[in-house]
């Protein structure tokens, strides 16, 4: 049994709280929003973001960050990516030396190009920072549907500790040392999922979706490997696995926002309609800046940026992708006879 602080009370934080308490751990949930904590205390249910998932009677809720952190064996940082830095800055004065923080959000900070774990390490240098990622919709985890994800950490014993805390008969956790690769895959798949949603909104079919997923993971791996990630990571759970689920499921807020954009909504209108943080929007610009820095081509992600931020018609963006210069799928000339 472990004492765990859940920093964030949205859909993912709620689903993981349900999972961890079912595993026998004691969880204290923190939110900066008084109304959110009052709702959880009263109903033990995140009615607006994860209805139907009822939290156990021994789950505690608080707006006092110190109370959620002090003496905990593990902290789970489950706030949306735009709030990672501000929340980490608040944690700095209450986190103990060596305390483990597991980040479960996905994104890249636009102005610094830092991954979320890098932000946490900068703001809370005394903590040991790890990540948990993969194809894992909160709506399905909260129902106990079989899910497989990956824990990334710099130290093997930390990754194995996280495995032991989270893993059960319906939630399998692999371990990996490739924290950077996991986070690049997790962040950029949201951008490709916007493209997949846009294609759906335009009325395109399965052929288009398959092409976007396949060429999308190629772009993600191209950049991620150049940055220092491992090829196996992009073939794995936080790469192709997370990309498939985010491009294909209506649980995906990025896909849902993309569908609306494909139907003619502006980015702002789509985000308002989804009513949740569409993290791919925040990662899209950062991805293009990284592409320039590392001198790699990301044609799908480039066209998503054009649609989101430069008013390009979605149908024209697809047309421009289709009419790009001819390419060879396998690089190099050594296999030609």
């Amino acid at each position: 049994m472990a004492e765990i602080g859940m920093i964030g009370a949205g859909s993912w934080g709620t689903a993981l709280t349900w999972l961890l308490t079912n595993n026998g751990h004691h969880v204290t949930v923190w939110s900066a929003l008084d109304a959110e904590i009052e709702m959880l205390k009263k109903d033990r249910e995140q009615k607006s973001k994860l209805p139907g998932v009822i939290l156990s009677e021994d789950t505690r809720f608080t707006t006092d960050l110190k109370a959620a952190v002090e003496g905990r064996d593990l902290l789970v940082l489950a706030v949306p990516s735009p709030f990672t830095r501000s929340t980490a800055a608040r944690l700095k004065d209450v986190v103990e030396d060596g305390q483990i923080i597991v980040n479960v959000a996905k994104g890249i900070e636009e102005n610094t190009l830092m991954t979320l774990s890098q932000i946490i390490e900068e703001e809370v240098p005394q903590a040991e920072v790890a990540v948990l990622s993969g194809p894992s919709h909160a709506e399905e985890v909260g129902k106990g549907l079989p899910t497989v994800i990956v824990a990334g950490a710099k130290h093997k014993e930390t990754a194995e500790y996280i495995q032991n805390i989270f893993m059960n008969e319906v939630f399998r956790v692999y371990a990996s040392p490739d924290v950077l690769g996991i986070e690049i895959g997790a962040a950029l798949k949201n951008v490709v999922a916007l493209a997949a949603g846009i294609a759906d909104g335009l009325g395109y079919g399965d052929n288009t979706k398959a092409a976007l997923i396949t060429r999308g993971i190629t772009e993600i791996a191209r950049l991620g490997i150049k940055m220092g990630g491992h090829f196996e990571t992009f073939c794995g759970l936080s790469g192709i696995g997370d990309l498939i689920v985010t491009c294909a499921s209506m649980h995906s807020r990025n896909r849902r926002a993309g569908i609306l954009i494909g139907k003619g909504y502006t980015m702002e209108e789509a985000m308002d309609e989804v009513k949740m943080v569409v993290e791919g929007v925040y990662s899209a610009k950062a991805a293009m800046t990284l592409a320039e820095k590392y001198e790699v081509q990301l044609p799908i992600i480039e066209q998503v940026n054009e649609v989101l931020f430069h008013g390009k018609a979605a149908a024209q963006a697809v047309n421009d992708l289709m009419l790009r210069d001819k390419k060879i799928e396998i690089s190099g000339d050594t296999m030609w006879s």
Side-chain angles (χ1 to χ4, degrees):
M1 183 190 303
E3 293 288 337
I4 297 170
M6 184 65 62
I7 311 304
S11 58
W12 195 211
T14 301
L16 290 175
T17 297
W18 179 87
L19 173 82
L20 291 165
T21 53
N22 281 351
N23 281 1
H25 306 301
H26 288 161
V27 182
T28 300
V29 179
W30 173 88
S31 171
L33 305 176
D34 290 333
E36 192 166 51
I37 290 300
E38 288 306 311
M39 173 188 65
L40 289 166
K41 285 181 177 179
K42 176 178 176 290
D43 301 317
R44 316 203 78 77
E45 179 184 10
Q46 177 46 281
K47 287 182 172 293
S48 62
K49 297 175 182 175
L50 198 66
V53 177
I54 309 301
L55 299 178
S56 67
E57 289 297 323
D58 63 352
T59 305
R60 293 157 287 188
F61 308 97
T62 184
T63 56
D64 182 344
L65 192 58
K66 185 176 182 180
V69 171
E70 199 169 50
R72 300 298 181 270
D73 300 304
L74 184 79
L75 303 176
V76 181
L77 187 54
V79 299
S81 60
F83 304 107
T84 296
R85 184 176 290 278
S86 59
T87 306
R90 296 183 63 179
L91 285 169
K92 181 176 182 178
D93 293 332
V94 293
V95 167
E96 302 161 14
D97 287 346
Q99 202 164 14
I100 298 171
I101 299 177
V102 181
N103 173 60
V104 298
K106 301 170 182 180
I108 300 170
E109 191 172 49
E110 182 183 336
N111 60 329
T112 66
L113 305 181
M114 296 173 73
T115 65
L116 302 187
S117 70
Q118 290 168 344
I119 292 170
I120 300 164
E121 287 171 342
E122 182 175 81
E123 296 288 346
V124 197
Q126 71 271 31
E128 180 161 3
V129 181
V131 299
L132 194 67
S133 193
S136 49
H137 290 307
E139 295 85 351
E140 297 188 2
V141 171
K143 293 178 180 177
L145 300 180
T147 300
V148 184
I149 62 171
V150 60
K154 293 180 179 178
H155 299 106
K156 185 179 181 182
E157 58 270 23
T158 302
E160 290 176 342
Y161 177 71
I162 295 166
Q163 276 184 306
N164 291 335
I165 292 290
F166 283 88
M167 195 162 162
N168 62 29
E169 67 276 8
V170 294
F171 198 81
R172 181 170 177 80
V173 184
Y174 284 81
S176 169
D178 186 16
V179 177
L180 176 63
I182 289 170
E183 289 197 286
I184 293 298
L188 298 193
K189 60 90 181 178
N190 285 329
V191 187
V192 178
L194 280 167
I198 289 169
D200 288 332
L202 288 167
Y204 298 152
D206 294 339
N207 292 353
T208 313
K209 179 72 65 64
L212 286 168
I213 291 172
T214 307
R215 297 310 303 172
I217 196 62
T218 300
E219 292 188 20
I220 294 169
R222 186 184 297 147
L223 176 60
I225 292 169
K226 199 77 177 285
M227 291 176 65
H230 292 267
F231 174 76
E232 292 90 342
T233 298
F234 303 107
C235 297
L237 292 162
S238 67
I240 191 65
D242 210 356
L243 183 61
I244 290 170
V245 79
T246 312
C247 289
S249 174
M250 283 303 290
H251 291 315
S252 165
R253 65 195 74 167
N254 291 280
R255 183 190 173 208
R256 295 204 311 272
I259 290 171
L260 294 171
I261 293 168
K263 290 181 175 179
Y265 285 58
T266 66
M267 175 191 72
E268 292 81 7
E269 290 169 344
M271 291 178 73
D272 289 343
E273 182 75 16
V274 171
K275 294 182 175 61
M276 297 176 77
V277 174
V278 181
E279 294 185 317
V281 171
Y282 296 92
S283 297
K285 282 186 179 179
M288 287 313 302
T289 307
L290 286 168
E292 293 170 10
K293 179 179 178 180
Y294 288 95
E295 299 180 336
V296 297
Q297 291 186 342
L298 308 178
I300 295 172
I301 293 173
E302 181 181 4
Q303 291 301 323
V304 170
N305 274 270
E306 289 294 315
V307 172
L308 291 179
F309 306 115
H310 303 293
K312 189 170 188 175
Q316 185 61 51
V318 175
N319 191 61
D320 288 349
L321 280 171
M322 294 297 290
L323 294 177
R324 293 173 65 237
D325 290 342
K326 292 180 288 185
K327 302 289 183 182
I328 297 173
E329 186 175 40
I330 299 175
S331 60
D333 292 327
T334 57
M335 295 178 67
W336 295 108
S337 59

